[in-house]
Amino acid sequence: QTTTVSKYGVSLINKPADYQLTVRNDSAKKMVELLKLIPGLVYDLRYATTNNFTHLQLYVPATRFTFLRLPAARALATVQKELNSRGYGLKIFDAYRPYSVTVKFWELILDERYVANPVKGSGHNRGLAVDCTIIDLKSRRELDMGTGFDNFSDTAHHNFTALPAAVLDHRKLLKEVMEKHGFNKLDTEWWHFYWSNDRGYEVLDIPFEELVK
Ligand SMILES: C[C@@H](N)C(=O)N[C@H](C)C(=O)O
Ligand SMILES: [Zn+2]
């Protein structure tokens, strides 16, 4: 298996065959397409549209897939099951994100509270992080979380409490159900959760179409 070193000094895999080799050595590294595993999951893959903070289409517009590594994908399935039993479901804004997109984010924002520093790479680049919210199953509407997705301000922080009680309850529900099933929260973004990098999951810069094959 060969790795490439980015201009920020991170080792990454950018060839599908090299990624496949890591999966042959450790099946937990498989990138699982979430909708294939999790029935009823709703996608609103913002970076495949211009409806995101950059106003640019960062993924090919037709991107209909998103991925997490096997253990994180299985854990997300248990989150969905629990939410469904309570009349709710997950909506996914983003999960796997190619490293080159993280570089673009960093060069626009330069703030580690809101975008990963490409010197380290993001959990999204490793297939370990997910940006999500909760929808009501009957109305299909998102629960009010007080800010929209990628609102890079103090109001989106978990410790920001000057919000209506219903908003605080919704954030608590999302945080508690994600933590219960093994995800960690990011203090500065209510929508971002990550799985531990306990198996040395590599940073990937592989297009979505290659992973779905
Ligand atoms: C850009 C935002 N949605 C996000 O995912 N931020 C975290 C910090 C990341 O880039 O890993
Ligand atoms: Zn995120």
Side-chain angles (χ1 to χ4, degrees):
Q1 161 208 329
T2 51
T3 54
T4 299
V5 178
S6 81
K7 69 174 177 179
Y8 288 97
V10 158
S11 289
L12 56 87
I13 289 180
N14 57 10
K15 292 189 192 69
D18 291 331
Y19 152 70
Q20 295 295 353
L21 198 54
T22 66
V23 177
R24 276 203 285 283
N25 291 330
D26 181 353
S27 58
K29 291 189 173 174
K30 183 169 173 50
M31 295 283 272
V32 176
E33 208 288 308
L34 297 180
L35 203 46
K36 264 197 180 160
L37 182 74
I38 308 175
L41 201 60
V42 172
Y43 281 178
D44 180 11
L45 302 177
R46 296 289 190 87
Y47 306 130
T49 74
T50 54
N51 183 20
N52 67 68
F53 73 95
T54 68
H55 306 292
L56 302 169
Q57 251 165 10
L58 293 146
Y59 303 161
V60 290
T63 300
R64 287 172 288 117
F65 314 110
T66 194
F67 302 83
L68 286 176
R69 303 280 188 170
L70 184 60
R74 285 189 173 146
L76 201 71
T78 63
V79 169
Q80 173 80 336
K81 217 170 169 187
E82 175 160 355
L83 286 174
N84 285 173
S85 72
R86 299 163 72 166
Y88 299 114
L90 283 167
K91 179 185 269 191
I92 307 297
F93 298 122
D94 196 36
Y96 167 63
R97 179 183 305 156
Y99 177 79
S100 49
V101 175
T102 282
V103 170
K104 285 186 187 139
F105 286 177
W106 177 252
E107 291 174 356
L108 282 169
I109 303 286
L110 295 170
D111 185 338
E112 279 192 65
R113 291 175 303 168
Y114 303 120
V115 292
N117 188 328
V119 164
K120 301 175 201 153
S122 167
H124 288 282
N125 311 145
R126 295 177 168 86
L128 298 177
V130 58
D131 294 336
C132 59
T133 193
I134 296 175
I135 58 163
D136 177 271
L137 282 185
K138 270 204 199 114
S139 66
R140 314 294 288 173
R141 291 177 64 151
E142 291 175 27
L143 301 194
D144 183 359
M145 294 291 182
T147 75
F149 169 55
D150 278 351
N151 170 292
F152 299 148
S153 77
D154 292 2
T155 317
H157 296 191
H158 279 285
N159 68 2
F160 188 90
T161 53
L163 291 165
V167 169
L168 296 176
D169 285 350
H170 299 157
R171 286 193 186 181
K172 186 164 177 268
L173 175 63
L174 180 61
K175 180 177 88 73
E176 287 187 353
V177 73
M178 294 294 283
E179 286 180 341
K180 179 175 168 186
H181 296 285
F183 289 90
N184 302 289
K185 70 173 164 62
L186 181 68
D187 290 338
T188 49
E189 297 180 348
W190 60 256
W191 55 84
H192 177 105
F193 295 89
Y194 63 96
W195 195 255
S196 132
N197 188 10
D198 54 358
R199 304 176 84 93
Y201 295 96
E202 293 84 1
V203 167
L204 303 179
D205 197 18
I206 295 179
F208 294 85
E209 318 81 78
E210 295 292 341
L211 291 174
V212 86
K213 279 180 187 164

